[in-house]
Amino acid sequence: MSVLESLRNPSDLRALDASRLRCLAGEIRERLISQVSRTGGHLGPNLGVVELTIALHAEFDSPRDRILFDTGHQAYVHKMLTGRAGRLDTLRRRGGLSGYPSRAESPHDVIENSHASTSLSYAYGLAESYALAGEDDRQVVAVIGDGALTGGMAWEALNNIAARGRRNVVVVVNDNGRSYAPTVGGLAEHLGRLRTAAEYERLLATGKRAARSIPVVGEAVYRGLHGVKSGLKELAVPQALFGDLGLKYLGPVDGHNVPALRAALRQAREYDRPVIVHCITRKGAGHPPAEEHEADRFHGIGVVDPATGRPLKPSPPSWTGVFARELVALGHERADLVAITAAMRGPVGLDGFAEAFPDRVYDVGIAEQHAVTAATGMSLGGLHPVVAVYATFLNRAFDQVLMDAALHRAGLTLVLDRAGVTGEDGASHHGMWDLSVLQVVPGLRIAAPRDGASLREELREAVAVDDAPTVVRFPKGAVPADLPALERVGVADVLARVGPRPAEVLLVGVGSMAATAVGAAERLGLGAEPPGITVVDPRWAKPVDPELVALAARHRLVVTVEDNSLAGGFGAALGQALREARVDVPLRSFGIPARFLEHASRADILAELGLTAEALADSVTTELAHLRPCARPVGAAAPVPAEGARTR
């Protein structure tokens, strides 16, 4: 039986000697590489924390002691040590293990966040609750990466942790010099000096051993070297960063040396105030293809060859790739165009722009709030910034979009990658709220392209706006074939007309749902008595175009379908516009219910939600069957009710 298979509880680690722990680390790495290469997922971050996670569970008593993983994508090893190693082959699959901590899976999982810089706030809250309950012997350990320390929320929490001085809080800084790509900014430079200090420690340790071997003068030479070490370390390691906050600093510690890690964690556990344990790790450690991958050390991979790390099949053209190429083209045309990223330059498609215009790209770290307000400042200074983030992360900067960008009518463009259902990354990564939360922002405009051609067109329209913020949203994955329009009505594209004339149903497909709407119309057109259907893509989901309202008035039923929450989404906005225009036509909206979605493939989730062409066609048929007999000829304008009359 392997060491990993012999474990029943994390406490079993305490009975293992150093050699068995080294063997366990090797088994875990082998299992990670083998399984994650088959399922896809966050391989590099987990390879980097194998020894650290072993040491944490050997020194702390989970789940009584709470171990929190900031971001959470590095928790695979934690799952393996807490009874889930046998299910790793189900990772990120429907009904299988989540790619992040999950309270439904295990009592060892405390928080389910996958948004960075939050773990220290959770830790502060847990420590305070235990103290008030008289349980301050329970340890709270927050594992946070150096990349996540670029987020302001982490420092807000550190300020409180230090002020309260609870002895049961341990902050483990997993410092690998990276978030997705290399960490940037002043904090990164400081931690870089701390990593350099570790090299001084190793160099001077070797020198001391050699000096002590010199007859007679050896001890004097050693004392001299010790003095040199102290001076160099003070110069290279300004510990005031943490010490002045009132936090005890331990480290740097080799994050791949289990005995050294255990010793540091044991010391931290016994200290009488909050402690920072600074661990130096290597993202992708132990897997040469990951360690040699300069871009992101296999931060997130698809299905790959476990030996080489190469994809087993070529990746199709993606939405992100279309955006990336068009932004470079726009950059050549406009010298005022700049790009901003929050520590995700590669994933959001800004690498090409950075290569072409290195002085016009700004990586602000994991700081979406700062990114939006900085972009507002750039706009006020005469530039047009393009802020590219995942749709789920824009939630963090809503106040800045509202009170900074929109209030100042700043000409900037927010590009939201991974909008809508994203799939395997689960609840916190679905970008299903942007159409809802942004509807309340005055003056802001939202484009939702349906294909590569419309993405290029709408991006150009968005950056041409200089008196208001604009948004361009698109989903994760392969970009579909272009879907040409028959004609344009107002700003909307008419994509199809099916069945008899005049049409009974106006079917409005938002963004990536436009192709689904066309597919549903085609299915309906095959029936024995097909209804007349007009399919449109609104192109700009905010504001609602008056021409679209007028088009709706000429139909018997309006149906909207969107890859966004139904609560406050496009369907709700169109409904409000119809009421304000006194258009009394039934409206049925299809989208994502107001609940958190589990992880599964995008296709599986859309099918479950009824957001497929087949399901939508069935729903339209049902809605038509329930309509009251039409009181006016199909295609006639709706009567305008008397002032104050109830219309719906």
Side-chain angles (χ1 to χ4, degrees):
M1 182 181 293
S2 70
V3 180
L4 180 60
E5 291 171 341
S6 72
L7 297 177
R8 294 294 174 264
N9 296 290
S11 58
D12 295 345
L13 292 168
R14 294 167 208 153
L16 302 180
D17 60 22
S19 64
R20 297 272 285 169
L21 290 175
R22 283 195 299 273
C23 183
L24 174 63
E27 291 175 7
I28 289 174
R29 276 201 172 82
E30 183 178 345
R31 182 79 64 90
L32 283 171
I33 294 166
S34 171
Q35 297 291 357
V36 180
S37 294
R38 293 189 180 97
T39 63
H42 292 96
L43 181 57
N46 285 281
L47 291 171
V49 297
V50 172
E51 290 82 6
L52 175 56
T53 310
I54 290 172
L56 284 166
H57 278 293
E59 290 301 321
F60 294 94
D61 183 22
S62 178
R64 177 170 174 77
D65 292 336
R66 296 302 204 177
I67 301 175
L68 316 179
F69 290 90
D70 200 281
T71 310
H73 57 228
Q74 78 280 43
Y76 299 178
V77 184
H78 162 78
K79 289 175 184 269
M80 295 170 75
L81 295 177
T82 53
R84 288 167 277 180
R87 297 183 60 207
L88 197 65
D89 60 342
T90 70
L91 185 70
R92 293 166 26 104
R93 294 179 177 173
R94 188 174 190 176
L97 291 181
S98 167
Y100 295 91
S102 169
R103 292 186 297 170
E105 290 178 9
S106 172
H108 296 277
D109 291 5
V110 189
I111 54 175
E112 302 186 5
N113 67 309
S114 60
H115 288 194
S117 313
T118 60
S119 65
L120 302 186
S121 296
Y122 285 115
Y124 170 76
L126 281 167
E128 290 300 312
S129 68
Y130 294 152
L132 290 175
E135 298 181 329
D136 55 359
D137 60 322
R138 298 181 69 177
Q139 298 285 326
V140 182
V141 185
V143 182
I144 184 167
D146 59 298
L149 282 177
T150 62
M153 187 175 172
W155 291 91
E156 295 170 18
L158 277 176
N159 181 53
N160 282 161
I161 289 170
R164 296 294 284 179
R166 299 294 186 196
R167 63 173 299 276
N168 59 334
V169 178
V170 177
V171 177
V172 176
V173 177
N174 171 31
D175 180 9
N176 57 27
R178 289 173 168 266
S179 47
Y180 288 85
T183 309
V184 298
L187 176 66
E189 293 176 4
H190 174 78
L191 291 179
R193 291 194 292 272
L194 296 181
R195 285 192 292 275
T196 302
E199 298 298 322
Y200 282 123
E201 296 286 357
R202 284 191 283 272
L203 174 65
L204 289 162
T206 302
K208 282 185 282 186
R209 286 194 297 271
R212 277 181 159 161
S213 67
I214 302 174
V216 184
V217 298
E219 194 63 29
V221 173
Y222 164 75
R223 286 195 297 272
L225 280 173
H226 183 75
V228 171
K229 170 198 169 181
S230 298
L232 287 172
K233 187 170 182 180
E234 187 63 31
L235 176 66
V237 189
Q239 296 187 33
L241 178 70
F242 299 114
D244 285 356
L245 281 174
L247 301 167
K248 173 66 176 176
Y249 171 85
L250 297 177
V253 182
D254 182 352
H256 301 292
N257 183 320
V258 174
L261 286 165
R262 293 188 66 177
L265 293 171
R266 193 177 306 124
Q267 184 180 354
R269 191 182 64 212
E270 296 169 355
Y271 208 70
D272 63 356
R273 70 174 192 260
V275 180
I276 300 279
V277 181
H278 181 199
C279 305
I280 308 297
T281 63
R282 300 188 317 279
K283 192 173 181 179
H287 187 38
E291 292 191 87
E292 295 165 8
H293 190 255
E294 186 57 34
D296 66 6
R297 302 289 196 269
F298 283 13
H299 178 88
I301 61 171
V303 178
V304 300
D305 183 323
T308 65
R310 294 173 183 163
L312 295 181
K313 57 182 180 180
S315 299
S318 68
W319 289 91
T320 307
V322 173
F323 159 69
R325 290 186 290 275
E326 191 65 16
L327 188 67
V328 171
L330 282 164
H332 285 293
E333 298 169 19
R334 292 185 50 170
D336 65 330
L337 203 69
V338 296
I340 300 177
T341 175
M344 299 173 68
R345 196 182 79 183
V348 297
L350 295 184
D351 277 348
F353 194 87
E355 183 177 348
F357 314 105
D359 296 333
R360 290 158 58 184
V361 172
Y362 302 87
D363 186 342
V364 299
I366 300 177
E368 291 84 2
Q369 294 169 300
H370 167 54
V372 172
T373 303
T376 302
M378 292 179 183
S379 174
L380 296 176
L383 300 175
H384 190 103
V386 175
V387 182
V389 297
Y390 284 4
T392 182
F393 296 142
L394 186 71
N395 303 343
R396 314 183 80 172
F398 172 74
D399 182 66
Q400 288 67 35
V401 173
L402 178 66
M403 290 300 178
D404 297 335
L407 181 64
H408 291 89
R409 299 185 295 278
L412 61 88
T413 299
L414 301 164
V415 173
L416 306 185
D417 202 326
R418 275 72 163 174
V421 172
T422 56
E424 291 86 351
D425 280 330
S428 60
H429 266 53
H430 294 302
M432 53 181 276
W433 294 282
D434 57 292
L435 288 181
S436 300
V437 299
L438 295 176
Q439 283 291 346
V440 303
V441 179
L444 179 139
R445 310 176 199 183
I446 306 173
R450 64 182 179 268
D451 54 26
S454 60
L455 171 53
R456 290 187 289 270
E457 181 183 31
E458 289 163 37
L459 178 63
R460 286 180 171 272
E461 292 175 12
V463 300
V465 176
D466 61 6
D467 61 352
T470 55
V471 176
V472 180
R473 72 177 316 255
F474 50 81
K476 178 182 180 179
V479 66
D482 288 347
L483 187 58
L486 302 179
E487 64 175 310
R488 184 159 292 175
V489 176
V491 300
D493 279 344
V494 177
L495 302 181
R497 290 190 180 91
V498 177
R501 302 290 181 272
E504 292 182 88
V505 182
L506 177 65
L507 187 47
V508 185
V510 180
S512 63
M513 292 291 101
T516 302
V518 171
E522 291 172 346
R523 286 177 176 272
L524 289 165
L526 298 175
E529 297 183 11
I533 301 174
T534 306
V535 182
V536 300
D537 165 17
R539 297 181 65 254
W540 286 85
K542 176 180 170 21
V544 174
D545 184 9
E547 292 289 334
L548 183 60
V549 174
L551 185 61
R554 298 194 292 273
H555 290 75
R556 191 179 173 201
L557 172 68
V558 177
V559 176
T560 67
V561 56
E562 59 191 293
D563 189 4
N564 185 80
S565 174
L566 283 170
F570 174 80
L574 179 58
Q576 180 178 341
L578 291 172
R579 290 190 296 274
E580 291 175 352
R582 299 174 182 265
V583 173
D584 188 14
V585 58
L587 169 67
R588 301 293 180 264
S589 295
F590 297 89
I592 302 173
R595 63 179 173 85
F596 292 107
L597 304 177
E598 298 300 323
H599 61 278
S601 71
R602 175 176 163 87
D604 282 346
I605 294 173
L606 292 177
E608 178 189 340
L609 298 175
L611 299 180
T612 64
E614 182 178 14
L616 184 59
D618 290 343
S619 297
V620 171
T621 299
T622 300
E623 293 298 333
L624 282 171
H626 284 85
L627 278 182
R628 297 174 183 174
C630 191
R632 57 186 167 88
V634 173
V640 177
E643 185 67 28
R646 184 174 180 179
T647 58
R648 301 212 55 182

